[in-house]
Amino acid sequence: MFSHMERRLAPAIAGRGAQGFEVPTRFGLATREVDGDWRDYMEQLASLEGAPPVKLRTTVTEEHPKTILSFNQSPDVPFDRSVNAYRGCEHGCVYCFARPTHAYHDLSPGLDFETRLFAKPNAAELLRATLAKPKYRCKPISMGTNTDPYQPIEARYRITRSVLEVCLDARHPVTITTKSDRVLADLDLLAQLAERRLVAVAVSVTSLDPKLSGKLEPRAAAPAKRLLALQKLVESGVPVHCSVSPIIPAITDEFMEEIVQRVAAIGVGSVGWIPLRLPHEVAPLFREWLAVHFPERGDKVMSIVRSIRGGRDNDPDFFTRMKPSGVWADLFRARFRLACKRAGIGKEKFELDCTQFRSPAVGGQMRLL
């Protein structure tokens, strides 16, 4: 039994995916509310003729961790180590599975996740020290597994670029996942890494509708820019994968076939799809988003989501969390397979070379050759 989804009366928060600052209760944190008098006053000011709109400002806190390489033993992902240069993500994708990590800092997985960001300026220095350890064994490093390495603040901090420079110097393979055309800013490094079979880039394309993208992923690159980024990467000889994800039933699944056709036409050799995941606080945030933007079909969307997740909003279990089940899941798989067959595209395997690895020099000095 699914409750009727009513339209939320408050207007959507412009330029943001989440619609609230609620702090989760699973860690016993104190809850927060926006003061009603203050909010009413600010909305009243914004409604005055000629008054500038009230905007949520993004803040960045620099942190200096002692380690930068994270290891995992998950059976559901094809990598065992990753580098995350940032915490939080200004792209503001309402469905982002990384949102709950902000709760570890006593912050909201909602608006705090996309407005209160953390940067790690010493990431490259830490990585260099880790790779230089005598017992280190080379396997591909993944970037973009938690938050996007090319979110807007990368233009200022250039942390991702500095990490790629270390990887190039050490001849260390790296994979990147992003939904930003800012990846092209590092095309010079990516091309050099590609020549040595040391890099593969995945670009996520969720829909082809810029208006929908503006609601769903408000500060990410528009779909057309992502397609252009894929094209330029292909032309530069960089191995690329297009991730048609997440597939949101009755919201983005209509674009599945056309996305596959479009990326195949520009030479992309690998595509895949990932179903919507709603872990922890992401589920209520997504429901709230539906109530604001799609109240007329919110119940249908969540009904299908629950049908592919065994009657739950989310399946957190290893081995099944990436593999939805049921009639709707089978339909999505069949549609995707048929789209790939018609486009003549598959899931090309990228074999990155770990044999070239050389321990980097410490102290920040790179080799000339």
Side-chain angles (χ1 to χ4, degrees):
M1 181 66 66
F2 302 100
S3 60
H4 177 65
M5 183 169 291
E6 298 181 356
R7 175 181 290 275
R8 177 177 150 168
L9 297 180
I13 299 175
R16 299 297 180 182
Q19 301 296 306
F21 289 97
E22 289 77 8
V23 175
T25 58
R26 59 192 172 103
F27 297 114
L29 301 177
T31 58
R32 284 184 283 160
E33 290 184 3
V34 177
D35 181 80
D37 294 336
W38 177 88
R39 184 169 186 173
D40 291 343
Y41 175 68
M42 296 303 286
E43 289 177 354
Q44 184 180 17
L45 283 180
S47 67
L48 296 176
E49 185 176 355
V54 179
K55 293 184 178 180
L56 285 171
R57 301 296 180 184
T58 300
T59 63
V60 182
T61 300
E62 294 185 5
E63 60 178 355
H64 298 274
K66 294 182 179 180
T67 61
I68 194 63
L69 202 57
S70 300
F71 292 86
N72 77 85
Q73 296 181 332
S74 171
D76 300 316
V77 294
F79 59 88
D80 72 345
R81 63 200 67 187
S82 59
V83 167
N84 290 292
Y86 305 103
R87 285 201 269 198
C89 186
E90 196 177 358
H91 282 163
C93 305
V94 69
Y95 52 75
C96 182
F97 64 85
R99 284 182 175 274
T101 60
H102 244 46
Y104 302 149
H105 307 286
D106 294 356
L107 296 174
S108 162
L111 287 169
D112 282 347
F113 178 80
E114 51 194 278
T115 61
R116 300 178 66 175
L117 312 179
F118 297 84
K120 306 172 185 177
N122 64 334
E125 177 186 345
L126 291 172
L127 181 61
R128 180 179 295 278
T130 299
L131 301 186
K133 292 181 179 179
K135 293 185 178 180
Y136 180 79
R137 296 295 176 265
C138 177
K139 283 188 178 181
I141 293 173
S142 292
M143 300 187 69
T145 58
N146 197 34
T147 56
D148 202 308
Y150 286 105
Q151 60 178 288
I153 58 174
E154 167 64 13
R156 170 160 48 116
Y157 280 95
R158 309 300 295 272
I159 300 174
T160 298
R161 181 175 180 86
S162 65
V163 169
L164 291 179
E165 288 173 341
V166 172
C167 289
L168 180 59
D169 180 48
R171 302 293 190 261
H172 197 295
V174 59
T175 64
I176 298 170
T177 301
T178 183
K179 58 185 61 176
S180 176
D181 61 335
R182 286 182 178 84
V183 66
L184 297 179
D186 293 338
L187 194 55
D188 56 332
L189 296 177
L190 296 174
Q192 294 179 64
L193 288 163
E195 288 178 357
R196 297 175 171 84
R197 294 192 299 118
L198 294 174
V199 73
V201 177
V203 178
S204 171
V205 181
T206 313
S207 81
L208 295 173
D209 181 352
K211 290 185 177 180
L212 174 59
S213 181
K215 298 175 182 178
L216 193 63
E217 342 168 279
R219 300 199 175 195
K225 289 187 175 181
R226 298 184 219 179
L227 292 174
L228 182 60
L230 280 166
Q231 181 178 347
K232 290 187 176 297
L233 288 166
V234 169
E235 292 171 352
S236 299
V238 179
V240 292
H241 170 84
C242 177
S243 180
V244 188
S245 62
I247 295 293
I248 304 176
I251 299 289
T252 68
D253 69 282
E254 65 173 285
F255 301 102
M256 184 189 299
E257 288 84 357
E258 188 176 354
I259 292 174
V260 172
Q261 183 180 18
R262 295 275 292 273
V263 299
I266 59 178
V268 175
S270 174
V271 292
W273 70 285
I274 300 175
L276 177 68
R277 295 176 55 211
L278 299 174
H280 301 298
E281 294 80 24
V282 184
L285 285 169
F286 184 70
R287 286 178 179 271
E288 187 176 32
W289 181 87
L290 286 171
V292 170
H293 296 288
F294 293 97
E296 75 286 350
R297 70 176 96 164
D299 289 329
K300 177 181 179 180
V301 173
M302 291 309 302
S303 175
I304 298 174
V305 168
R306 290 173 65 86
S307 76
I308 69 176
R309 296 298 186 187
R312 298 177 289 178
D313 285 351
N314 184 62
D315 178 5
D317 299 331
F318 285 146
F319 302 105
T320 59
R321 58 180 180 155
M322 299 292 190
K323 298 178 180 178
S325 60
V327 174
W328 280 99
D330 292 340
L331 176 61
F332 292 146
R333 288 192 186 94
R335 286 176 55 191
F336 195 80
R337 282 198 299 267
L338 182 58
C340 291
K341 183 177 180 180
R342 287 174 174 171
I345 190 173
K347 195 168 185 179
E348 180 181 329
K349 289 188 176 181
F350 303 123
E351 299 293 340
L352 301 186
D353 188 359
C354 294
T355 64
Q356 303 176 54
F357 174 71
R358 55 189 188 184
S359 182
V362 294
Q365 184 66 40
M366 292 188 181
R367 297 177 177 86
L368 295 178
L369 298 174

